[in-house]
Amino acid sequence: MNLEEFNIIIFITGIIIGCVATLALKSYSAKNNSKKADSSSNIITMKSLQQELDSKQVIIDNFFTDSNEHLMSAEKRLADLRNTIADNATQLSNIKIERSTAASNNTDTIEPASFEPPRDYALKKDKEPGTLSESFGLDDRNIDLEPKRTF
């Protein structure tokens, strides 16, 4: 083999290796760029989703606020109607109807109902203790709790 032929083979081999390396680098950089683009598009997508969620939350908050205001005005109108009926009933007939006190009271304050403790709560005034009482289920405290041994 001649030196010139050897140089040509090395030159062609170098060109082939260079082309393969260039293609490999291009595909690697393209993958990295697509990952960066995907991550930036994911960030943009997450921001847009968060904005959409926030706007829907505002819409929901407004809905419940408006609904509460409408209910309060309906309750006030109902109380006014009851009072009008009560006034007209006393003027026109012998039937006495109680006036509604809800119109004069503030509807924001709720009167507490009489609270009753759970049934298993042991009240001091009850004759029979509840299940949380220390004496529940024990007939006599003087009974020996140790089992009897028989031999």
Side-chain angles (χ1 to χ4, degrees), residues 75-105:
E75 288 173 354
K76 186 176 185 288
R77 286 188 296 218
L78 181 63
D80 291 341
L81 179 64
R82 286 180 195 248
N83 289 338
T84 304
I85 290 174
D87 291 342
N88 292 336
T90 57
Q91 290 176 0
L92 299 175
S93 69
N94 296 332
I95 298 174
K96 187 171 186 176
I97 299 176
E98 293 183 22
R99 291 180 53 92
S100 175
T101 58
S104 61
N105 290 345

Side-chain angles (χ1 to χ4, degrees), residues 13-25:
T13 307
I15 290 175
I16 293 173
I17 291 174
C19 289
V20 170
T22 304
L23 289 175
L25 286 174

